[in-house]
Amino acid sequence: MHPKAGTILRLFRAEVGYVSGEYLSRELGVSRTAVWKHITALRNNGYRIEAVTSRGYRLVSSPDNIDPHEIQTQLSITKIGQRLEFLKQTSSTNADAFRLAEDGAVEGTVVLADSQTGGKGRRGRLWTSPSGVNLYCSVVLRPSIMPHEAPQLTFLSAVAAARAIELTTGLTPEIKWPNDLLVSGKKVAGLLNEMSAETDGINFVILGIGVNLNMTADQFPDELRHPATSLFLESGTRIDRSSFTSTLLNELDRLYADFLTHGFGPVREEWQRRCNANGRQVVVTDSGTECRGGRFIGIDSDGAMLLRSDDDLLHRITCGDVRVI
Ligand code: BTN
């Protein structure tokens, strides 16, 4: 996309109604004919732009593709998204981000893909990643924290994804320990963080985020262990993938800046408030076997779940599946 076309999009977004051709030509420092050429190029790229004589132009809708330039025009960040890599297809954005980080990529580098052929889920599972519908995103972070504190960043990404879903759709997602995002009890997003570390510090962390945006029921594999859904299926409205991506990156950026200044406390508080088990009675199962019951108290600074059993003992749980009863 031509930088002037990017500026036109930014100016459209800053206005509620029409933007006059004269104003655009003044702001861009080009002739009205040149403005018209950029508008035509934007239309050819799928932007619907209305033109009304004596009023000007209005952006009606943006194309449903992930467009890094489009995303950049909507970012208000200091770190996350300062470098954006977009791939039409890849094996796994986490693997790509890991390689880039090993080669010295700057903190805040983001890898996005339209589809993944080997999307990585937790516990070695495959993350279904068809093209044209969802968000697959990995972010490189280089925080000065100890390796055992790295799970705090997974909680941070869960909160950012929950906020982005809420801001975009008005739906209120719940977080299920350790890090699934649910809408109406069905999984809508998953997080997979990976890291490179030494005993005394972290080289980098990769935040891997997958959100089912516009997937339809027939695109989910039959063998999913947990019921899954998409924001489109839950809200009935198609989600603009570029806008969603920028909302997510803006929220990640804010939360990460806050994390670096104030530590894990604010993230932990918001994560617990959004957790489906907060303060409730739960059962933890491991490989299908019930291993512990109790009241969900919260999460520890290393990500362990804290349960209080009926005999008033506090238990730290680090693996298993939680069911609210
Ligand atoms: C889970 O099992 O819940 C975690 C799923 C994480 C999927 C995302 S999609 C973007 C990033 N790249 C990957 O290969 N995996 C993560």
Side-chain angles (χ1 to χ4, degrees):
M1 187 189 291
H2 193 284
K4 300 264 187 216
T7 310
I8 292 181
L9 289 176
R10 199 173 294 129
L11 293 170
F12 279 155
R13 295 211 169 89
E15 296 295 326
V16 181
Y18 290 84
V19 178
S20 75
E22 192 190 331
Y23 173 74
L24 289 177
S25 106
R26 208 175 41 242
E27 288 294 309
L28 267 63
V30 299
S31 69
R32 300 218 11 207
T33 317
V35 168
W36 174 251
K37 281 192 185 141
H38 290 305
I39 297 276
T40 307
L42 284 169
R43 281 179 171 156
N44 291 340
N45 280 306
Y47 291 89
R48 284 184 51 222
I49 298 167
E50 192 182 36
V52 175
T53 322
S54 78
R55 294 180 84 180
Y57 302 101
R58 187 174 70 91
L59 180 63
V60 179
S61 65
S62 302
D64 185 22
N65 51 25
I66 294 195
D67 178 344
H69 301 287
E70 165 84 16
I71 292 168
Q72 249 141 5
T73 66
Q74 299 178 53
L75 288 183
S76 52
I77 50 100
T78 54
K79 275 202 175 133
I80 293 177
Q82 53 179 318
R83 173 176 171 194
L84 275 187
E85 296 290 330
F86 172 72
L87 301 156
K88 187 77 191 129
Q89 186 177 76
T90 188
S91 171
S92 154
T93 56
N94 263 29
D96 296 324
F98 207 98
R99 266 193 302 274
L100 287 176
E102 281 178 326
D103 291 346
V106 62
E107 178 166 65
T109 296
V110 173
V111 181
L112 298 165
D114 179 56
S115 67
Q116 299 183 118
T117 50
K120 296 197 267 180
R122 281 207 314 273
R123 299 188 180 199
R125 294 193 202 103
L126 201 67
W127 184 255
T128 309
S129 310
S131 117
V133 282
N134 292 336
L135 169 75
Y136 317 113
C137 160
S138 302
V139 182
V140 177
L141 295 182
R142 299 182 181 279
S144 301
I145 57 174
M146 294 303 284
H148 71 270
E149 296 171 309
Q152 298 177 358
L153 295 166
T154 320
F155 295 103
L156 184 149
S157 49
V159 171
R163 284 187 186 179
I165 291 173
E166 206 164 86
L167 286 166
T168 306
T169 61
L171 297 167
T172 309
E174 287 183 318
I175 305 176
K176 177 172 180 283
W177 187 89
N179 271 307
D180 287 347
L181 267 89
L182 311 179
V183 172
S184 312
K186 288 173 270 179
K187 181 160 170 170
V188 77
L191 310 163
L192 179 70
N193 289 359
E194 299 180 271
M195 76 169 159
S196 155
E198 315 289 332
T199 39
D200 56 346
I202 282 178
N203 299 322
F204 58 83
V205 175
I206 306 298
L207 304 185
I209 307 172
V211 187
N212 298 335
L213 297 179
N214 294 316
M215 234 168 147
T216 49
D218 55 306
Q219 290 180 300
F220 288 99
D222 296 334
E223 70 280 4
L224 275 187
R225 271 176 8 110
H226 296 294
T229 190
S230 73
L231 295 183
F232 168 66
L233 290 172
E234 295 306 315
S235 67
T237 310
R238 290 195 76 75
I239 309 300
D240 180 317
R241 291 195 295 153
S242 296
S243 287
F244 184 87
T245 307
S246 6
T247 305
L248 174 67
L249 298 181
N250 285 335
E251 290 309 318
L252 268 177
D253 192 67
R254 257 171 234 145
L255 280 159
Y256 187 55
D258 213 31
F259 173 81
L260 294 179
T261 321
H262 302 292
F264 184 45
V267 169
R268 185 198 332 226
E269 190 277 321
E270 184 167 344
W271 188 96
Q272 285 174 181
R273 189 164 43 77
R274 292 179 178 276
C275 176
N276 66 339
N278 196 18
R280 297 172 74 183
Q281 204 64 27
V282 299
V283 182
V284 182
T285 52
D286 203 2
S287 310
T289 314
E290 279 193 19
C291 53
R292 169 92 46 218
R295 187 166 297 280
F296 190 101
I297 301 298
I299 45 173
D300 215 345
S301 59
D302 60 355
M305 162 175 42
L306 299 173
L307 284 192
R308 191 173 297 286
S309 51
D310 292 344
D311 49 8
D312 214 27
L313 290 176
L314 197 61
H315 303 271
R316 281 171 41 85
I317 312 282
T318 53
C319 65
D321 205 33
V322 188
R323 189 162 44 84
V324 177
I325 45 175

